[in-house]
């Protein structure tokens, strides 16, 4: 089987490297194109055997499974380039959340899924969100999700919950890293501990907490109860966090959803215009 990638920016390259590192694909099974060809050439230098395609059409013609890893504004241009080469037997995977499955099914004959990855997939961890189109049969869904088990935990979600699911799984690492960095900065400023030592401690804590919440039998509530003793130091810290963070994540969700709705509206306009042509 051949896997093609149209777009090798941040997430496209992360997927390629994760698939290779996990053994899901050998470099010889991957063909990729990018608007800036040097990005693909660098991947090929790091992973000999990976094929650099000169055009997006070359990717489609040489692949069974095709990943569209481009910005929403670039989708119509890419579809116009490849539509004559796409076959009903091929699989098209979009990793771009504002592009709805109906948009792609309306213009391409392939089997369509939307898979939202996370930067955590780079270390063969975290979730991938799986949203499947109407042409995907049960065996197709199982086959595709099995590929993603090499780099993640595939989780099927409704397209209606794409944004909030992405907030938790894909944006979440950045949100969590922001919280951790603020904790580190405060530790350094208030106590004089070195930034290097504080970062190491916080990073190891984050790793261990993740394990407790996934394989350790805890959930966020039970973990807080286990660590916190009424009237103790941790309880005092939690009291401050509860007070200061009240409503913060509601504001975050409202902001990400507002931007998402804006992006969907722009995509709808582009695809509606295209379908009228």
């Amino acid at each position: 089987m051949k896997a093609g990638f149209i777009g090798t920016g941040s997430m496209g390259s992360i997927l390629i490297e994760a698939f290779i590192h996990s053994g899901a694909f050998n470099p010889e099974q991957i063909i990729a194109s990018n608007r800036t060809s040097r990005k693909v050439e660098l991947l090929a230098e790091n992973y000999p055997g990976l094929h650099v395609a000169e055009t997006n059409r070359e990717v489609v013609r040489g692949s069974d499974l095709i990943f569209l890893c481009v910005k929403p504004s670039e989708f119509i241009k890419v579809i116009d380039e490849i539509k004559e080469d796409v076959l009903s037997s091929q699989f098209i995977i979009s990793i771009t959340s504002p592009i709805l499955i109906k948009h792609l099914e309306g213009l391409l004959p392939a089997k369509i899924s939307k898979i939202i990855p996370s930067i955590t997939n780079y270390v063969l961890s975290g979730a991938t969100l799986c949203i499947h189109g109407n042409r995907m049969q049960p065996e197709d869904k199982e086959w595709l999700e099995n590929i993603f088990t090499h780099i993640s935990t595939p989780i099927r979600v409704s397209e209606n919950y794409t944004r909030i699911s992405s907030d938790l799984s894909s944006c979440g690492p950045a949100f969590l890293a922001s919280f951790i960095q603020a904790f580190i900065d405060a530790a350094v400023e208030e106590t004089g501990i070195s930034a290097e030592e504080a970062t190491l401690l916080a990073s190891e804590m984050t790793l261990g907490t993740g394990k407790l919440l996934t394989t350790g039998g805890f959930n966020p509530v039970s973990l807080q109860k286990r660590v916190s003793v009424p009237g103790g130091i941790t309880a005092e810290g939690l009291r401050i966090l509860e007070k200061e963070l009240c409503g913060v994540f509601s504001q975050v969700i409202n902001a990400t959803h507002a931007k998402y709705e804006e992006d969907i509206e722009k995509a709808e306009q582009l695809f509606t215009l295209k379908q009228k042509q």
Side-chain angles (χ1 to χ4, degrees):
M1 183 185 66
K2 296 283 188 177
F5 290 80
I6 295 177
T8 58
S10 178
M11 287 313 304
S13 62
I14 282 175
L15 280 177
I16 289 173
E17 294 189 87
F19 281 136
I20 292 174
H21 292 161
S22 69
F25 295 107
N26 296 321
E28 294 81 7
Q29 293 177 280
I30 295 176
I31 178 172
S33 63
N34 193 73
R35 187 171 54 184
T36 304
S37 60
R38 182 58 186 156
K39 289 184 177 180
V40 191
E41 291 167 358
L42 288 173
L43 283 170
E45 290 173 9
N46 290 329
Y47 303 102
L50 187 151
H51 181 69
V52 179
E54 294 185 4
T55 66
N56 295 334
R57 296 186 69 181
E58 184 181 351
V59 172
V60 172
R61 289 170 178 169
S63 305
D64 306 294
L65 176 62
I66 302 147
F67 291 87
L68 302 182
C69 308
V70 299
K71 297 177 181 179
S73 60
E74 297 176 5
F75 261 79
I76 294 298
K77 178 183 177 183
V78 169
I79 287 173
D80 281 342
E81 291 175 0
I82 68 174
K83 62 184 179 181
E84 299 300 325
D85 300 296
V86 174
L87 305 174
S88 60
S89 59
Q90 290 176 307
F91 294 82
I92 297 283
I93 310 301
S94 167
I95 70 165
T96 308
S97 60
I99 303 300
L100 303 181
I101 288 192
K102 69 177 184 180
H103 292 150
L104 299 177
E105 288 186 333
L107 296 175
L108 297 171
K111 299 176 181 180
I112 308 289
S113 287
K114 181 158 62 176
I115 306 288
I116 309 300
S118 166
I119 192 171
T120 55
N121 302 157
Y122 186 71
V123 289
L124 315 184
S125 187
T128 43
L129 309 179
C130 304
I131 305 161
H132 300 295
N134 293 324
R135 300 177 194 141
M136 291 287 287
Q137 299 302 308
E139 60 270 22
D140 297 325
K141 298 174 185 178
E142 294 285 345
W143 172 78
L144 182 60
E145 290 173 11
N146 185 60
I147 292 173
F148 277 91
T149 61
H150 290 80
I151 67 170
S152 67
T153 298
I155 299 175
R156 292 187 194 182
V157 299
S158 165
E159 194 164 32
N160 292 334
Y161 292 115
T162 299
R163 183 63 262 145
I164 188 58
S165 299
S166 298
D167 284 343
L168 292 164
S169 68
S170 300
C171 300
F175 298 155
L176 182 58
S178 176
F179 179 91
I180 293 167
Q181 187 60 53
F183 196 2
I184 292 168
D185 291 342
V188 172
E189 181 178 349
E190 296 293 333
T191 73
I193 189 175
S194 72
E196 293 76 15
E197 187 174 357
T199 300
L200 175 62
L201 290 168
S203 299
E204 289 295 335
M205 174 275 297
T206 305
L207 176 62
T209 302
K211 291 181 178 180
L212 287 171
L213 293 175
T214 52
T215 60
F218 287 90
N219 60 44
V221 173
S222 66
L223 180 55
Q224 289 179 72
K225 289 182 178 179
R226 185 65 177 271
V227 177
S228 177
V229 176
I233 292 174
T234 304
E236 187 63 16
L238 286 173
R239 183 184 66 79
I240 298 298
L241 289 175
E242 289 169 3
K243 175 184 176 182
E244 297 300 326
L245 292 179
C246 181
V248 166
F249 286 102
S250 291
Q251 294 179 53
V252 169
I253 290 169
N254 288 333
T256 59
H257 277 62
K259 182 62 170 68
Y260 180 62
E261 292 298 329
E262 178 185 321
D263 289 346
I264 283 184
E265 184 177 348
K266 290 178 181 178
E268 287 274 15
Q269 292 172 354
L270 288 172
F271 278 86
T272 299
L273 180 62
K274 177 62 182 175
Q275 289 170 340
K276 288 181 178 179
Q277 293 177 352

